[in-house]
Amino acid sequence: MSKPENTPLPPAFKRIGWSNLLAQFSEQMALAAAPLAAVLLLAAGPAETGWLQMAQTLPFLLLSIPAGLIADRASRRGLMVSSEMLRALSLVATLLLMLSGLLSLPLLAVMGFVGAIGTVCYNVAAPALIPAIVPRAQLADANRWMELARSLAYSGGPAIGGAFVAWTGASLAYVAATSLSLLSVVLLAGLGDHHQPSSPKRKLLQDLAEGARFLADHALLRPILVTAIVFNTAWFVLQAVYVAYAIQTLGLTATGVGITLGIYGAGMMIGAFAAPAIARHIPFGVMIALGPLGGLTAAAVMLSTIWVPSGLLAGLSFFLFGAGPVLWSIATLTLRQAVTPNAMLGRVWPSSPPPPSAHGRSARRSAPSLPRASASRHALPSQPSASWFSSW
């Protein structure tokens, strides 16, 4: 059943939507500022910024399932508030270390890790809370607005964060990111608590096994989970090698690298805006398949730059990486919310493709050696192979 025309989304969702927008902008600004601070203040090179990227990524790989377990056992609104507060505290701690002259690369990585824990918990709890607020017929519309907010943040957040660092220094970038994070908390604090149905208290391993069985046995969610794992693996490969590859092989400047990464966000926005029109003209299953197919096409375009080095082709690749998979994110999240029992929404969380690293802008002070560029060239062919598998 489709939603009635011009039916507004509930006011409670609007609070979540604005909170999500502010939190995503804060996160992207901080992700842009951290490697720039590492390079400009701590004289970090490509290897050091790589370790920093790993520290900010590990919580997504290690803590998504534990965060889902918490989301199914506790207040999801409360988890979102405490998670965003944790991220705000990590930003404040980084700022104080910076102002006191005590900041070091290990401490910057630790603060990035802690902040990413908050991001993971927030990102798991938000889609699990939405079905308790939004009628089922409006879930796709709500998810589209959440993806639009994410797209805007990925497009504008790194640029704003980088501009703050360039014009005023890294400290004010962290002040701005902290302010947005706290505003996000205020919006959530004014939201009434929506308690999920209580379930018998069980051991964590029992809950985890229940979620795993549900995913493994569900004919629709099982292939989505496998596809997400394969796609995300390929995406992390591309993130790991792209900056050095773009500078050394494609001949891009730091600004050029930033522009190509920003095109990803533009692709996401266009895909999210176009989602309702696309959904009216194609079956739901085809819309889901557009994500992996878009990723496969994007990977093939990126692979072609080995033989035809071109920043334009790299930008086209990132545009396709944004436009196709955002349709996948909207459609698969709506499907998951529709078929999963409310009490299990936190655990049953097939991940969506992560954003590209914002730390490409830190390359302006780095000069990677030739062997790293060669490794980047050899790593690229594995990326379309994994994308092909996920589309198949």
Side-chain angles (χ1 to χ4, degrees), residues 8-383:
L9 289 163
F13 172 77
K14 294 178 181 178
R15 278 187 169 270
I16 294 178
W18 281 106
S19 169
N20 177 62
L21 177 64
L22 294 173
Q24 297 281 3
F25 255 101
S26 173
E27 178 199 10
Q28 292 303 310
M29 290 174 63
L31 285 175
L36 286 170
V39 172
L40 299 175
L41 301 180
L42 305 174
E48 289 79 9
T49 55
W51 283 108
L52 180 61
Q53 164 74 5
M54 185 184 72
Q56 294 171 330
T57 301
L58 275 177
F60 290 90
L61 303 176
L62 300 178
L63 301 177
S64 294
I65 292 176
L69 288 170
I70 296 173
D72 285 343
R73 286 169 164 254
S75 163
R76 288 164 182 166
R77 183 196 68 89
L79 178 59
M80 292 171 69
V81 170
S82 58
S83 299
E84 195 59 25
M85 278 299 300
L86 176 64
R87 209 171 62 78
L89 289 173
S90 74
L91 295 173
V92 170
T94 303
L95 178 62
L96 293 177
L97 288 169
M98 195 178 297
L99 295 177
S100 64
L102 299 176
L103 185 66
S104 64
L105 192 62
L107 286 175
L108 185 61
V110 169
M111 291 300 103
F113 183 89
V114 172
I117 292 174
T119 299
V120 170
C121 294
Y122 185 103
N123 289 348
V124 170
L129 177 62
I130 288 174
I133 295 173
V134 177
R136 181 168 177 168
Q138 293 182 283
L139 283 176
D141 198 24
N143 292 330
R144 182 173 72 92
W145 283 111
M146 295 291 280
E147 288 299 322
L148 272 174
R150 194 163 68 111
S151 305
L152 285 169
Y154 291 166
S155 298
I160 294 173
F164 264 108
V165 174
W167 297 339
T168 63
S171 58
L172 283 184
Y174 276 92
V175 170
T178 303
S179 301
L180 292 177
S181 184
L182 292 175
L183 284 174
S184 174
V185 171
V186 170
L187 285 169
L188 288 174
L191 180 68
D193 213 343
H194 295 260
H195 294 284
Q196 56 265 31
S198 59
S199 56
K201 294 294 182 182
R202 300 192 304 176
K203 295 181 179 179
L204 288 176
L205 289 180
Q206 286 180 316
D207 281 349
L208 183 60
E210 181 185 43
R213 282 195 303 269
F214 184 85
L215 269 175
D217 295 340
H218 201 286
L220 297 177
L221 297 184
R222 184 174 58 248
I224 288 174
L225 176 63
V226 173
T227 301
I229 291 171
V230 174
F231 187 96
N232 287 352
T233 301
W235 186 239
F236 279 120
V237 170
L238 179 60
Q239 285 193 86
V241 304
Y242 177 69
V243 172
Y245 175 77
I247 291 173
Q248 297 176 339
T249 302
L250 303 184
L252 298 184
T253 63
T255 300
V257 172
I259 290 173
T260 56
L261 293 175
I263 290 173
Y264 170 83
M268 288 183 68
M269 284 191 291
I270 292 174
F273 271 116
I278 294 173
R280 285 194 296 268
H281 290 89
I282 63 174
F284 187 73
V286 174
M287 186 168 173
I288 290 178
L290 286 179
L293 289 173
L296 172 63
T297 305
V301 171
M302 183 64 74
L303 181 64
S304 72
T305 62
I306 293 178
W307 300 280
V308 186
S310 169
L312 291 176
L313 287 176
L316 174 61
S317 175
F318 275 110
F319 177 84
L320 294 172
F321 269 124
V326 76
L327 299 175
W328 153 278
S329 295
I330 295 170
T332 57
L333 178 55
T334 303
L335 175 63
R336 179 178 66 84
Q337 291 167 333
V339 303
T340 306
N342 186 272
M344 296 175 61
L345 276 170
R347 284 164 282 167
V348 183
W349 186 63
S351 1
S352 58
S357 166
H359 74 253
R361 294 155 183 82
S362 68
R364 69 184 68 187
R365 285 279 305 272
S366 64
S369 61
L370 185 58
R372 284 195 182 92
S374 176
S376 300
R377 289 176 64 94
H378 291 306
L380 279 179
S382 66
Q383 212 272 340

